[in-house]
Amino acid sequence: TWGAPFGKVLLNATMLRFDKAAFSRSLNLFAIRAKVGDLGRLRKSLEPILFSRQKVRCIIPDPATTTHKLMLLCEKVQDHELNGVDDVHKQTVKNENLEVIPHTLTLGVEYFTADEILRELIPKDVELITAFETVGHIAHLNLRENLLPYKYLIADVILATNSYLRTVVNKVSVIQNQFRAFPMELLAGDDDMMATVLEHGFTYRFDYSKVYWNSRLDNEHHRLVTLMEPGQIVCDMFAGVGPFAVPAAAKKCVVHANDLNPHSYEALIANATRNKVSSFVHPYNMDGRDFVRELIKKDVLIDHVIMNLPASAIEFLDVFYHAYPTLPERLPTIHCYCFSKADDPEKESMDAIQEILKIRSLSATIHHVRLVAPKKEMLCVSFLLPESVAVASSTHTEDANPPPTKQLRTE
C-alpha cells in the first residue's frame, strides 16, 4: 500500500506548478533477509513474488548487516505470513527458514511515468490525455480544453519524468498561415526552438516555431522513399525541411525540392549539406504550382511527384491538367496526401482527385498513413498521371466503360 502523500503541488497566484524536489512517495512492502551467497539461487526460485518496477532493484543492501541483503517482495504480499502468495512460494520461504520483515521503499519522481503522477494530482473526473510529440528536445502538446487549467502542471511533470526533454510547448490553434507553422506557447523549460532530429539515420535541424515538422510521419517518409530508384527524378512540391528530399537524394535520386516558407527553404539547404547529399538536391523557394510549371518548362522528366500538404494538396493537382505541350517520354507517378473525415475516406479522396483532374476514373494505390484524430484519416493516393490529363492534344481517350478504380489498402 502507498504510504506518504504523493508529492507536493505548489499553487502560486496564477498557476499550478509541480515541485520536483519536494516530490516523493512511500511504498510499504515486505522483504526477505537473505545471505549474500544465496541470492542467485533464491532469486531464481522466488522471481514471481519479487517486487518489479522499472528502474527499481528488487535486491537492496540490508542496513543491519553486510552479510545479508534484502529481497523486496511484490505488493500483493500482505503480511509476515506471506498471505496473498501461492502455497509453493510460501513453502520455499519456510523451507529456507527466511526472515520476512517490513520495509518502506521511498521513490522519487524518476521512478514514475508522467501519467502515473498526473493521475494522482489532477481530479479523477477530468479525462487525462497527455500524449505528446517529441521533436528533438521539445515536447509538443495539443491539450484539450478541459486540461488547459492544468497545462503548466502537465508540462512540469513531463519535463521532470523525461530527462531527454528541455522544452515543452502547447499548440494554441490550428495552422493558419501558408507557411504551415502553428502558433504555440511555451509552458516549461528552455525557450529554445532550434530542434535537432534524427530520423532513419538522417539528421535534421530547424527552428520548430517557424517550420512544419511531424515526427509521427517518420515511417511514412521511409516508406515512400523505398518506392524510388537510384537515378530517378523527384519533384517534392512541399518539401519542408527535407524529410523526403534528403533520404531520396541519399539513394542518388535527383531531387527538385520546393517550399514556399523561406525558413523551411533555408533549413532544407542546410540539411542537405549536413547529410552530404547537396549535390543531388536542387532547392526552390516558390509557389508550388509555379515550381511545377518551371520544371515542365525546362523539360525535366519527372518520375515521382510528392505532394505532402494533406490539407490542400488535392487542390494543387490542377497544375497538372494539360500541363505538357506535348507528350513527354514518361509521365510522373504522383503521391498526393490528403485528409478525410468521411465514412468512406478512400471514395471521398478519389472523387475529389478525379474532379480536379476532370476524369471519370483513375487507377490508384491508396495507403492509409495514420489516424490524425477520431474519424480523421491521412491518406496517400499514388497514381500515374494519365495522358489525357497531362496533354491537351493527347490522342488518348477514356474508355466508354472505364475499369473500376483500384483502391489497394496497404494498412
Side-chain angles (χ1 to χ4, degrees):
T1 57
W2 290 113
F6 198 108
K8 182 180 179 182
V9 180
L10 301 184
L11 179 64
N12 65 21
T14 58
M15 63 189 75
L16 286 168
R17 306 297 312 216
F18 178 69
D19 185 356
K20 177 180 177 179
F23 175 91
S24 67
R25 195 167 187 181
S26 297
L27 184 60
N28 296 323
L29 302 172
F30 286 89
I32 290 172
R33 177 171 281 138
K35 292 179 180 179
V36 172
D38 295 337
L39 291 172
R41 176 176 56 83
L42 291 173
R43 179 168 186 165
K44 185 175 181 180
S45 61
L46 297 175
E47 188 78 36
I49 66 168
L50 295 180
F51 183 77
S52 177
R53 186 178 185 89
Q54 189 176 8
K55 301 180 184 178
V56 180
R57 295 179 182 274
C58 64
I59 299 177
I60 62 174
D62 186 342
T65 175
T66 58
T67 60
H68 291 66
K69 287 195 174 183
L70 299 181
M71 304 181 72
L72 300 179
L73 298 175
C74 63
E75 296 166 78
K76 67 182 179 182
V77 176
Q78 300 170 9
D79 52 34
H80 294 81
E81 303 300 323
L82 300 184
N83 287 316
V85 174
D86 62 88
D87 291 339
V88 173
H89 293 100
K90 275 186 184 179
Q91 193 61 44
T92 299
V93 173
K94 184 177 181 180
N95 292 344
E96 294 284 348
N97 196 27
L98 298 171
E99 181 184 3
V100 179
I101 63 173
H103 180 80
T104 300
L105 181 66
T106 301
L107 301 176
V109 64
E110 64 273 18
Y111 294 103
F112 297 92
T113 66
D115 280 353
E116 285 175 322
I117 297 172
L118 290 169
R119 189 66 280 168
E120 293 288 337
L121 300 179
I122 292 177
K124 302 296 184 186
D125 60 343
V126 176
E127 184 181 6
L128 183 61
I129 299 177
T130 58
F132 59 87
E133 176 188 3
T134 301
V135 183
H137 67 278
I138 303 168
H140 162 216
L141 294 167
N142 188 6
L143 294 176
R144 295 182 177 180
E145 187 175 355
N146 68 315
L147 290 174
L148 293 180
Y150 310 98
K151 61 185 181 181
Y152 296 107
L153 173 61
I154 291 169
D156 287 344
V157 172
I158 287 174
L159 272 191
T161 54
N162 296 276
S163 59
Y164 60 93
L165 296 175
R166 291 192 289 107
T167 303
V168 181
V169 299
N170 183 45
K171 182 178 179 179
V172 295
S173 68
V174 297
I175 295 173
Q176 296 177 334
N177 59 68
Q178 59 184 341
F179 294 153
R180 294 197 289 174
F182 62 82
M184 65 177 73
E185 59 178 339
L186 176 68
L187 297 183
D190 301 338
D191 187 4
D192 176 11
M193 300 303 159
M194 285 301 299
T196 301
V197 177
L198 182 65
E199 184 179 279
H200 291 284
F202 300 100
T203 302
Y204 304 91
R205 185 165 171 78
F206 48 84
D207 187 332
Y208 188 48
S209 67
K210 296 179 180 178
V211 304
Y212 174 80
W213 177 269
N214 191 333
S215 295
R216 295 184 176 97
L217 294 179
D218 58 342
N219 289 331
E220 179 60 17
H221 298 150
H222 180 70
R223 180 196 72 85
L224 194 67
V225 172
T226 61
L227 303 179
M228 301 167 188
E229 300 294 335
Q232 289 189 322
I233 298 176
V234 178
C235 164
D236 193 349
M237 287 178 66
F238 315 106
V241 302
F244 287 111
V246 167
K251 290 187 70 172
K252 295 187 173 8
C253 294
V254 177
V255 184
H256 296 267
N258 172 71
D259 204 278
L260 184 64
N261 184 340
H263 302 289
S264 296
Y265 169 74
E266 292 168 5
L268 167 66
I269 295 173
N271 288 327
T273 301
R274 181 172 289 107
N275 290 281
K276 298 180 172 56
V277 295
S278 56
S279 60
F280 289 92
V281 177
H282 302 278
Y284 300 76
N285 181 208
M286 304 172 64
D287 169 79
R289 290 184 178 89
D290 292 340
F291 165 61
V292 170
R293 293 187 184 110
E294 179 165 322
L295 294 185
I296 292 174
K297 184 178 179 180
K298 291 180 177 179
D299 295 324
V300 176
L301 288 175
I302 305 166
D303 294 288
H304 294 274
V305 177
I306 304 172
M307 303 179 68
N308 183 27
L309 188 68
S312 57
I314 289 178
E315 298 172 17
F316 280 82
L317 285 170
D318 63 1
V319 72
F320 295 101
Y321 185 74
H322 293 176
Y324 292 85
T326 59
L327 187 65
E329 179 182 327
R330 60 181 182 270
L331 288 167
T333 296
I334 297 176
H335 309 280
C336 181
Y337 289 88
C338 55
F339 292 134
S340 175
K341 294 182 179 180
D343 292 336
D344 188 344
E346 295 184 358
K347 183 179 185 304
E348 181 187 57
S349 302
M350 291 300 299
D351 287 348
I353 289 172
Q354 289 169 181
E355 181 179 357
I356 291 290
L357 296 180
K358 302 179 183 180
I359 54 176
R360 290 178 295 147
S361 68
L362 180 67
S363 179
T365 298
I366 300 179
H367 176 74
H368 290 247
V369 178
R370 58 185 291 259
L371 193 64
V372 177
K375 298 185 178 180
K376 182 178 181 181
E377 284 204 56
M378 180 178 178
L379 305 147
C380 177
V381 182
S382 298
F383 58 91
L384 183 67
L385 183 66
E387 292 181 11
S388 61
V389 174
V391 185
S393 59
S394 172
T395 58
H396 173 80
T397 58
E398 294 184 305
D399 296 334
N401 297 299
T405 300
K406 178 183 177 185
Q407 298 180 353
L408 177 63
R409 186 183 297 269
T410 57
E411 275 193 353

